[in-house]
Amino acid sequence: MAAGLVKKFFIASMLMWMAPLAVHYGFNHNLLPGLTNLSPHAMTLLSGFVAVISVNIVIAFYIYMAMKEPCNKHQPDPKFLTHAKASVYQPTGEPMESLKKQE
């Protein structure tokens, strides 16, 4: 199970590097038709904006994949629970009036 998680994380990490670089390369080398008439300033702004959007899409996809992971509910140890509950209800030795004065 851990190997699958590492694989998904690795793929998402690689896509977060490759997607914006591919978008930026595509804009700068006129691989996207119809964008040749834009000024260099507009081309840079548009390519940066689309690159940021591509990273956000990758992040959203990774979150979606993480939410689909099976979740095995962890059951705490009953002995630990009884000790924890006992420690919560155990008196501290100080009277309540002295605790209220400190607040």
Side-chain angles (χ1 to χ4, degrees), residues 9-86:
F9 179 73
F10 181 74
I11 291 170
S13 298
M14 293 307 297
L15 283 175
M16 283 185 5
W17 277 96
M18 292 186 313
L21 290 176
V23 166
H24 192 65
Y25 181 84
F27 271 88
N28 286 342
H29 290 32
N30 297 326
L31 296 178
L32 302 171
L35 298 175
T36 56
N37 57 353
L38 292 176
S39 70
H41 181 70
M43 185 74 76
T44 302
L45 285 175
L46 186 60
S47 70
F49 181 71
V50 174
V52 169
I53 295 295
S54 70
V55 170
N56 285 321
I57 290 171
V58 170
I59 291 171
F61 181 72
Y62 180 71
I63 291 171
Y64 173 74
M65 293 302 292
M67 298 282 281
K68 282 183 53 176
E69 281 290 318
C71 115
N72 299 332
K73 295 276 185 179
H74 174 72
Q75 297 297 324
D77 184 24
K79 185 177 177 183
F80 173 78
L81 283 178
T82 55
H83 287 299
K85 287 179 182 177

